[in-house]
Amino acid sequence: MNLKTTLCCLTGLTFLTGSVSPPAQKPVLQNIREITTGENEYSSPVWSPDGQKLLFTDHHNDALYIKEVAGKSNVQKIKSGQGIGYKARWTPDGKGVIFYEKKAALTGPGTLFEKSINIKGGRERILTETTSTKANRTFTSKKNPSLKVYINPETLKLEAREGEGEPWIITPEDGQFYSPLVSPDGKNVIVNEGANMYLYSIHGNAKRKKLGIGLPTSWLPDGSGILTFEDETKDGHTISGSELYHVAIQTNAKTKLTNTPDKIEMWADVSPDGKRITFSDEKSGKIYVADLKFNR
């Protein structure tokens, strides 16, 4: 499936009298290195809160793996299960992983469990349990963990709620929205409608802004930009290529970070200090790390 066919930055303008804006900084990737070996294929890496480990899954989202970034440690498989790798994330303390697991029912929607698993002992804990037809994976930010953002599976609109409070709609427009990405400060969210990315204020106090084509996968820690990817296809079905991009939130400036026809780079994530990124090559199934630099 071509992500271009299935895929707003809200900025204030500051007028500085008598001042000159500094030249824009152009992002580049340096020192790209592979950190996985062997024949197994992996996907969708995510940095741990301390920037020392990576969490990733396989091409079918059916397993959870972790690996130390430094050194030559082996990949550690911590759990298997259908779909558990999709949008899995670290616990805030970095000692565990949060994932979703669905239990089917003979009738009705079944039960969606949000669980955590300790990466050392393997102990699991149920965080939430929902049987509603509106149940879906939720997204939040470090600065406001009680704020939950999610796609309503019945309406395909983006909604939010505080704790267990009443939800509100973020996307009033007609359309089918998917893949939300909450900003680090918890004030804005980027979401796809078709091939286009839009940035919304979560509390609906500004008009949405179009960011262009792509699938956003990670905010920079300071909220100044995002990482995206764009896939390519020759037959309309099989992905034949993909490259990584950086989009500046204030200016909408778009920079191509990779240009490798022999790889299919996707699912980039920025390290907590903003100095490195990780991504997967969906062609080989390898995980890579690279230094992220900004040059004038």
Side-chain angles (χ1 to χ4, degrees):
M1 180 173 59
N2 181 13
L3 287 172
K4 284 187 177 179
T5 62
T6 62
L7 308 173
C8 151
C9 162
L10 304 170
T11 60
L13 296 178
T14 302
F15 297 92
L16 302 176
T17 304
S19 66
V20 178
S21 298
Q25 292 184 320
K26 184 177 180 180
V28 295
L29 297 185
Q30 299 178 351
N31 189 26
I32 299 174
R33 60 268 191 197
E34 179 187 331
I35 69 159
T36 54
T37 58
E39 297 181 357
N40 288 344
E41 297 183 351
Y42 307 108
S43 180
S44 309
V46 180
W47 289 96
S48 63
D50 62 7
Q52 296 182 12
K53 297 181 287 293
L54 293 176
L55 162 70
F56 41 91
T57 184
D58 57 25
H59 283 167
H60 301 287
N61 295 311
D62 288 343
L64 299 173
Y65 304 92
I66 60 172
K67 187 186 185 302
E68 297 279 348
V69 176
K72 297 181 179 180
S73 63
N74 294 325
V75 172
Q76 177 187 353
K77 185 176 183 178
I78 60 174
K79 185 175 175 63
S80 298
Q82 185 176 4
I84 64 171
Y86 179 68
K87 300 296 184 181
R89 64 191 188 274
W90 292 90
T91 57
D93 61 8
K95 295 181 179 179
V97 172
I98 298 173
F99 63 96
Y100 285 88
E101 197 167 40
K102 190 166 186 178
K103 183 178 180 181
L106 294 177
T107 60
T111 304
L112 182 67
F113 294 96
E114 181 184 22
K115 295 182 176 182
S116 66
I117 181 171
N118 184 279
I119 61 176
K120 286 189 176 180
R123 180 175 176 269
E124 293 186 25
R125 185 163 65 96
I126 296 175
L127 304 178
T128 61
E129 180 179 342
T130 312
T131 57
S132 168
T133 57
K134 295 182 179 181
N136 208 344
R137 294 166 175 82
T138 61
F139 306 89
T140 187
S141 71
K142 293 180 181 179
K143 292 189 176 181
N144 189 3
S146 66
L147 176 69
K148 305 296 184 182
V149 176
Y150 57 95
I151 300 292
N152 183 320
E154 291 184 332
T155 66
L156 297 183
K157 289 185 179 294
L158 185 65
E159 297 183 357
R161 70 174 188 270
E162 287 276 3
E164 297 303 319
E166 287 297 315
W168 66 91
I169 296 173
I170 299 174
T171 55
E173 299 85 2
D174 292 332
Q176 298 180 356
F177 297 90
Y178 64 97
S179 195
L181 187 66
V182 180
S183 63
D185 61 9
K187 295 180 179 180
N188 299 312
V189 58
I190 297 173
V191 66
N192 277 87
E193 181 190 4
N196 292 305
M197 303 177 291
Y198 293 91
L199 191 144
Y200 287 81
S201 166
I202 289 177
H203 289 88
N205 54 10
K207 186 179 179 180
R208 76 175 183 175
K209 183 179 178 181
K210 185 177 179 180
L211 289 180
I213 293 174
L215 188 69
T217 57
S218 180
W219 284 83
L220 271 64
D222 62 3
S224 64
I226 57 172
L227 297 184
T228 73
F229 70 84
E230 294 181 25
D231 72 310
E232 301 172 358
T233 180
K234 295 179 180 179
D235 59 10
H237 301 283
T238 304
I239 295 175
S240 57
S242 177
E243 304 294 349
L244 304 179
Y245 294 82
H246 171 275
V247 178
I249 293 299
Q250 187 174 13
T251 65
N252 270 31
K254 185 176 182 179
T255 304
K256 192 174 186 178
L257 297 176
T258 60
N259 186 20
T260 49
D262 61 325
K263 293 183 174 64
I264 302 177
E265 290 105 337
M266 293 182 175
W267 311 114
D269 189 51
V270 185
S271 62
D273 61 6
K275 295 181 179 180
R276 294 171 294 170
I277 76 165
T278 181
F279 60 90
S280 54
D281 170 18
E282 298 296 300
K283 185 175 181 178
S284 68
K286 305 303 181 185
I287 302 295
Y288 290 83
V289 168
D291 298 330
L292 179 62
K293 304 289 186 180
F294 287 85
N295 299 328
R296 292 193 183 280

